[in-house]
């Protein structure tokens, strides 16, 4: 049970959290009622949220990997820093590029 908990909170939840801004942009671009102003508001808010999300992923991953461990010495948690690297990489590169690629078509009245 501890292994499942550590895997869930140490890897799966932080990865989903980091990919959330991209999926929000992806789903909002497929909505029929959304116009371009609202879409750019969604993209910019996802970009701003993406600045905080990697830090939250680090804390959740540390909690999941250190849950219910006896303190027999320091544990190596260096790998959780990769969430910050990939989180900021996704936020600074993938979110703006996907925002430009997935622009909804202009509405014709």
């Amino acid at each position: 049970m501890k292994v499942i908990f550590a895997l869930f909170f140490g890897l799966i939840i932080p990865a989903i959290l980091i990919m959330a801004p991209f999926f929000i942009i992806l789903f909002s671009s497929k909505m029929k009622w959304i116009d371009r102003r609202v879409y750019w508001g969604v993209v910019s808010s996802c970009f701003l949220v993406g600045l905080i999300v990697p830090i939250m992923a680090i804390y959740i991953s540390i909690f999941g990997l250190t849950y219910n461990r006896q303190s027999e010495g320091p544990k190596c948690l260096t790998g959780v820093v990769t969430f910050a690297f990939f989180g900021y990489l996704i936020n600074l590169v993938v979110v703006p590029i996907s925002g430009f690629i997935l622009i909804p078509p202009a509405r014709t009245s």
Side-chain angles (χ1 to χ4, degrees):
M1 186 68 177
K2 286 195 286 187
V3 174
I4 294 172
F5 186 83
L7 181 68
F8 189 69
F9 280 103
L11 183 65
I12 296 172
I13 293 293
I16 291 172
L17 193 64
I18 286 174
M19 292 300 294
F22 171 71
F23 287 126
I24 291 171
I25 291 173
L26 183 68
F27 292 136
S28 68
S29 69
K30 302 300 179 193
M31 293 182 186
K32 300 291 182 195
W33 58 269
I34 198 165
D35 65 345
R36 287 188 174 186
R37 272 188 291 160
V38 175
Y39 177 74
W40 287 115
V42 169
V43 170
S44 60
S45 64
C46 283
F47 185 78
L48 293 176
V49 167
L51 295 174
I52 300 168
V53 166
I55 304 301
M56 291 172 38
I58 286 175
Y59 284 123
I60 291 172
S61 180
I62 288 173
F63 171 73
L65 293 175
T66 60
Y67 178 75
N68 206 7
R69 283 195 179 177
Q70 279 61 19
S71 63
E72 43 193 61
K75 303 291 182 192
C76 180
L77 296 173
T78 309
V80 295
V81 179
T82 59
F83 287 120
F85 174 73
F86 286 113
Y88 285 120
L89 181 74
I90 288 170
N91 184 48
L92 296 175
V93 176
V94 174
V95 168
I97 290 174
S98 65
F100 282 113
I101 290 173
L102 299 171
I103 296 175
R107 287 176 141 180
T108 55
S109 310

